[in-house]
Every structure is written in structure tokens, then in C-alpha cells.
Amino acid sequence: MESLHTKSALVTRTQGAGLEIVFLHGWGMNSGAFTSFIPYLSDNFTITTIDLPGFGENADHLPSPYTVETLANALVDVLPERCVLVGWSLGGLVAQKLALMAPEKLAGLITIASTPRFIAGPGWPGIAADLLKMFEAQLEKNYQKTLERFLAIQAMGSETAKQDIKAIREHVTQFPDPAEEALKKGLRILSTEDIRQEVGRIAVPTLRIYGRLDSLVPTSGIDNICELQPQADTVVLPHASHAPFISHPQQTADIIFSFVANVQRQKAS
């Protein structure tokens, strides 16, 4: 059974029992993105989902300035103690920052289709700057249309792309719309934030999950990320795109389950 909590003005949702796993969603989304995935884990774990400030049920909570650091700061107090933090896409950037800022709160860190720097640059594969500029321009005119295009790019390459988009859209639209400011500043984070020099200092056990068909976090950049954080484990799902927990939920759940079991074993030894 799901329960709703409000702490420090942020709303969190919790269900299941066992070790705490917390999920953070990506840009333009909310916790609804994880609705169909949670049942794969909630028999074995306590699952908490938190809408990033400015999104979903936390749309009215806008830190200023709106940066990865202020987002992480806003979330620290609502994280359960010694949880495994899972961040998807933009949420993965915030999760990495939290692992650096408050390692004592985390038992482990999992990023899904995420990176320490999203935008492409010299020697660094990523999202083309022109694409993000286009999204920024479109956002001024029509949020819903921009979101639809972003969803299409996220699912691109997946054999179940149409179903994936439909599933995410159905669940996400059951939550309040995001704040316009959060959408704009969230895109700005994707185009400017760079924590590559910091991720090597992440001390908590880390797992990075990627989709081989992901066009937003291309697999050609995985080696670069491994060099920056060689102690992290890496798994690439061969047939998945940017949302492997939607297209390949059982496979993704099994990978998370295995990682968490290892973290618990290490803790016990």
C-alpha cells in the first residue's frame, strides 16, 4: 500500500517493505514514470519516489538558483537513512551530486541512462547542443508538444517505442504539470552542468545502467565515464534505449536486485 509523506515542503511516496530504494525521475517527467516498474521491486524493498523540485507534486517547490546543487540540497532531508538512490537521466545527475554531498545517507547509488555531463563536447559524446537549443525554443511555444518530442527521442531505437511512450505518458499525466521555470532551468542544467571532475570521489558503491540504443546518453561515451569513476559497475542493456525500466522492466529489476544484494553482503562482511 502506498503512503504519502510531506517533509520540508517536499512530497514523497512510499510503498513496499525492506531495504529503502529511492527513485528520482528525469527532465519533464515526474514519479509517475516509475509507476509500472515499482511492482517489480516492491515485494522485496521499500520504494520511495520523490518528484524533483519544480515537477509533479513538488511543482511549487522551486529552489533559487535552480541548479543541481540546490536540487540535491532540497532532497537531502527527505532521503531515508542508508538508502540505495536510483536516478534516471537528469535525476541521475542529481543523485550523483547527492552521493558527493551526503554519502552518509546512501548505501548505494544507481544511475539509469545518466552521465556526469549530458551535452556533447570535444572528446565527449552526448546530446547535441543544437537539439537542446531547439527544445528550449519549442518550450516557449508549447510544453506538451516539446514533451512529446522528448519522449519520442527517449524511446527511439527501442522495439517497444510506441508502447513505452504511451506507458510513460499515461502515468506522468496523472501528476500535476511541472513549473515552467523548472522546465527551462532543467534544460539549462542538461546543457551546462558538468561534474566530471567530481565523480571519481563518489565513495558509495555505484552501478551505472545504460541502454545501447540510447541517443541521449550514447554508449560511445561509457568508456569515458568508466575512466572517471573506475570503481563503478557498468551494465549495458543491448536492446534498450533511454528508459530501460519501461522497455525491459524485469531485466532492469534483476540488475538492481543483484546490485543491492551485493551492497548488503558487503555491509554484512
Side-chain angles (χ1 to χ4, degrees), residues 158-161 164 237 239-252:
S158 165
E159 288 172 7
T160 52
D164 297 354
L237 276 69
H239 305 293
S241 184
H242 194 66
F245 58 93
I246 296 283
S247 60
H248 298 79
Q250 189 61 64
Q251 207 177 342
T252 306

Side-chain angles (χ1 to χ4, degrees), residues 87 89 92-93 95-97 99-100 109-118 124 195-196 198-202 204-211 217 221-237 244 255-256 259:
S89 196
L93 198 54
Q96 290 169 83
K97 197 72 176 174
L100 288 158
L109 167 69
I110 301 174
T111 67
I112 299 176
S114 197
T115 166
R117 171 186 155 123
F118 275 91
W124 187 264
I195 59 168
R196 287 178 294 177
E198 299 172 61
V199 292
R201 291 192 285 105
I202 294 176
V204 299
T206 302
L207 168 66
R208 293 181 177 273
I209 301 173
Y210 303 96
V217 181
I222 293 175
D223 284 349
N224 303 41
I225 300 170
C226 288
E227 281 173 28
L228 295 173
Q229 194 191 2
Q231 65 276 32
D233 293 328
T234 298
V235 177
V236 181
L237 276 69
I255 292 163
I256 290 173
F259 172 76

Side-chain angles (χ1 to χ4, degrees), residues 19 34 90 95 109-110 118 141 148 162 205 219 223 252 257:
L19 181 117
F34 301 114
L90 171 63
L109 167 69
I110 301 174
F118 275 91
K141 299 173 194 159
E148 284 293 320
K162 277 188 180 164
T219 47
D223 284 349
T252 306
F257 203 105

